[in-house]
């Protein structure tokens, strides 16, 4: 069946749409945007569906302010892989929903492994979504019929997917876990990025030590701020390799700066070069207590065997529980837990019961990890009797 939808390209039409959707118990929402050459995502299309109505909104000509009222309403928004959509909402109207149902997150608790929307629709609804060009230009007007059909399909089946997932998870008690995870995802989107931790996302910078780490922190924070001010991608301001190279070289002059590996022959001049040198100087003078250490640094040597055992058990537990292993516990989660961090995710909520408490027994020597005879692993109470004593 071909989906029918309405094209909205007037302010009054969009205001009416938002009021109608806000009166519904729930609505499906998706966005199409571009950010290949910008820091911020630039909204090019908004898709909405509630009850039997589907609309495509043209944000290139429509004032998006009424979207704030819809997001703030009691209606529940349904999204798939919502992280970037939430960033778009914050950018275009300054508001995030108070709650949400992210079908990708929830599906992880029903045996799907971080599924795409197309995969969920095919497995749950039995329909193949129309294929679209991943490189399509959503800012082009008029959009083709194929583009519009493809965009409308992104919200056409979210209600059916939600109903299926709820029916599967509610009897097992996992629906609450999934809803908690949706709330956590929304909370992360609500919290602004801390420029002082921007360097954590640069692999080469995390390998720095001593003063180089402090320089990396100050330089990455400067890069983040400049990218925001000029609305260009971080790599256009300074590549990751250049951030790490400058941190290691700690240049004090323009000549030293331009000799740093990673600048790809680009000559830095004017305010950019001066601001980089100032960031380097700040890093050199940064007090040790002001350095924001990444929470996932390597464990102490004696804890590494425990991390390996824990990772093996989590992988087995994920198979048994039919939950994606990265949803249960990432390496960063295991490291934070084994390091004793009180903020470790494995110490809170559903993860504490399912993963944290059993893992604490394993680390304390109260439990043992054994083969179950079928190629799997089993965590069981430890006997305390060495095998040699039984022979």
């Amino acid at each position: 069946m071909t989906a029918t939808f309405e094209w909205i390209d007037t302010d009054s039409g969009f205001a009416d749409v938002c009021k109608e959707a806000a009166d519904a118990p729930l609505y499906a929402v998706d966005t199409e945007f571009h950010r290949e050459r910008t820091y911020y995502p630039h909204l090019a299309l908004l898709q909405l569906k509630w009850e039997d109505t589907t609309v495509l909104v043209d944000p290139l000509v429509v004032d998006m302010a009424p979207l704030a009222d819809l997001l703030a309403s009691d209606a529940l928004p349904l999204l798939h892989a919502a992280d970037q959509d939430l960033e778009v909402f914050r950018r275009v109207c300054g508001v995030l929903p108070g709650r949400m149902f992210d079908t990708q997150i929830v599906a992880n608790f029903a045996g799907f492994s971080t599924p795409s929307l197309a995969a969920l629709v095919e497995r749950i609804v039995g329909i193949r979504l129309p294929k679209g060009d991943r490189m399509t230009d959503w800012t082009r007007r008029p959009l083709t019929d194929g583009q519009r059909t493809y965009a409308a399909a992104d919200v056409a089946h979210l209600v059916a997917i939600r109903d299926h997932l709820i029916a599967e998870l509610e009897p097992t008690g996992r629906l609450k876990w999934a809803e908690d995870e949706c709330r956590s995802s929304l909370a992360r989107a609500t919290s602004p990025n801390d420029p002082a931790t921007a360097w954590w996302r640069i692999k080469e910078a995390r390998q720095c030590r001593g003063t180089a780490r402090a320089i990396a922190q100050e330089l990455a924070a400067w890069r983040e701020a400049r990218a925001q001010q000029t609305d260009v991608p971080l790599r256009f301001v300074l590549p990751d390799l250049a951030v790490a190279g400058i941190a290691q070289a700690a240049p004090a002059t323009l000549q030293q700066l331009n000799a740093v590996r990673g600048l790809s022959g680009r000559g830095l001049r004017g305010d950019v070069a001066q601001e980089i040198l100032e960031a380097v100087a700040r890093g050199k003078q940064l007090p040790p207590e002001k350095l924001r250490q990444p929470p996932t640094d390597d464990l102490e040597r004696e804890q590494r065997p425990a991390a390996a055992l824990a990772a093996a058990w989590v992988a087995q537990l994920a198979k048994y529980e039919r939950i994606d292993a990265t949803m249960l516990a990432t390496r960063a989660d295991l490291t934070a837990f084994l390091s004793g961090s009180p903020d470790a995710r494995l110490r809170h909520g559903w993860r504490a019961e399912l993963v944290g408490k059993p893992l604490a027994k394993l680390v304390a020597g109260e439990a043992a990890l054994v083969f179950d005879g079928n190629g799997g692993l089993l965590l069981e109470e430890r006997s305390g009797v060495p095998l040699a004593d039984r022979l």
Side-chain angles (χ1 to χ4, degrees), residues 3-303:
T4 59
F5 46 84
E6 182 180 357
W7 180 260
I8 304 295
D9 58 6
T10 66
D11 291 346
S12 60
F14 183 51
D16 290 341
V17 159
C18 289
K19 289 179 182 177
E20 292 178 25
D23 288 336
L26 50 82
Y27 60 93
V29 57
D30 189 38
T31 65
E32 304 295 345
F33 57 87
H34 292 283
R35 71 180 316 166
E36 291 82 4
R37 301 186 65 84
T38 60
Y39 179 88
Y40 296 105
H42 287 230
L43 182 61
L45 189 67
L46 178 72
Q47 304 102 288
L48 288 168
K49 184 181 188 304
W50 68 98
E51 297 173 346
D52 295 324
T53 301
T54 302
V55 300
L56 305 181
V57 183
D58 186 356
L60 303 187
V61 297
V62 170
D63 179 4
M64 299 304 293
L67 180 61
D69 292 332
L70 173 58
L71 295 175
S73 71
D74 292 333
L76 173 68
L78 312 182
L79 305 98
H80 183 85
D83 287 354
Q84 294 197 81
D85 296 313
L86 296 175
E87 188 177 357
V88 170
F89 297 156
R90 187 167 55 194
R91 178 70 174 164
V92 300
C93 68
V95 173
L96 292 178
R99 58 191 181 123
M100 70 172 184
F101 190 101
D102 187 327
T103 52
Q104 185 179 74
I105 290 176
V106 178
N108 275 294
F109 293 88
F112 297 91
S113 181
T114 315
S116 67
L117 178 60
L120 279 183
V121 171
E122 185 168 356
R123 291 182 60 181
I124 293 176
V125 185
I127 295 174
R128 288 192 175 185
L129 292 182
K131 292 184 177 180
D133 182 359
R134 293 178 62 247
M135 301 304 293
T136 193
D137 183 359
W138 291 105
T139 64
R140 184 181 62 187
R141 297 293 184 270
L143 294 177
T144 66
D145 290 343
Q147 286 175 311
R148 296 188 186 201
T149 299
Y150 174 83
D154 282 346
V155 293
H157 308 289
L158 290 182
V159 173
I161 291 172
R162 171 185 177 266
D163 292 345
H164 176 91
L165 292 175
I166 287 178
E168 184 167 344
L169 293 177
E170 201 162 32
T172 68
R174 291 186 180 184
L175 180 59
K176 183 181 183 304
W177 296 359
E179 291 172 341
D180 286 347
E181 202 60 27
C182 286
R183 279 191 289 270
S184 295
S185 178
L186 186 55
R188 289 193 297 272
T190 304
S191 304
N193 291 331
D194 184 353
T197 64
W199 73 279
W200 295 357
R201 300 191 295 273
I202 305 173
K203 179 181 178 181
E204 297 83 359
R206 290 168 62 93
Q207 296 171 354
C208 292
R209 293 294 181 265
T211 303
R213 280 198 157 194
I215 295 174
Q217 175 175 301
E218 294 301 305
L219 189 58
W222 166 82
R223 183 180 72 158
E224 196 85 21
R226 187 167 183 96
Q228 292 173 354
Q229 292 165 4
T230 57
D231 193 21
V232 299
L234 292 170
R235 67 184 185 279
F236 286 13
V237 178
L238 206 59
D240 284 359
L241 186 59
V243 173
I246 293 171
Q248 292 283 12
T253 67
L254 178 60
Q255 183 178 8
Q256 293 172 346
L257 174 61
N258 284 329
V260 171
R261 180 187 175 193
L263 291 179
S264 303
R266 66 169 76 180
L268 296 176
R269 296 288 186 273
D271 63 332
V272 171
Q274 183 58 38
E275 289 175 10
I276 289 175
L277 291 174
E278 290 172 357
V280 171
R282 288 196 300 273
K284 291 178 180 178
Q285 300 169 4
L286 190 72
E289 66 272 12
K290 295 291 185 180
L291 178 62
R292 299 289 298 278
Q293 298 283 4
T296 56
D297 269 357
D298 287 340
L299 289 164
E300 296 294 334
R301 185 179 299 274
E302 60 271 16
Q303 290 182 307

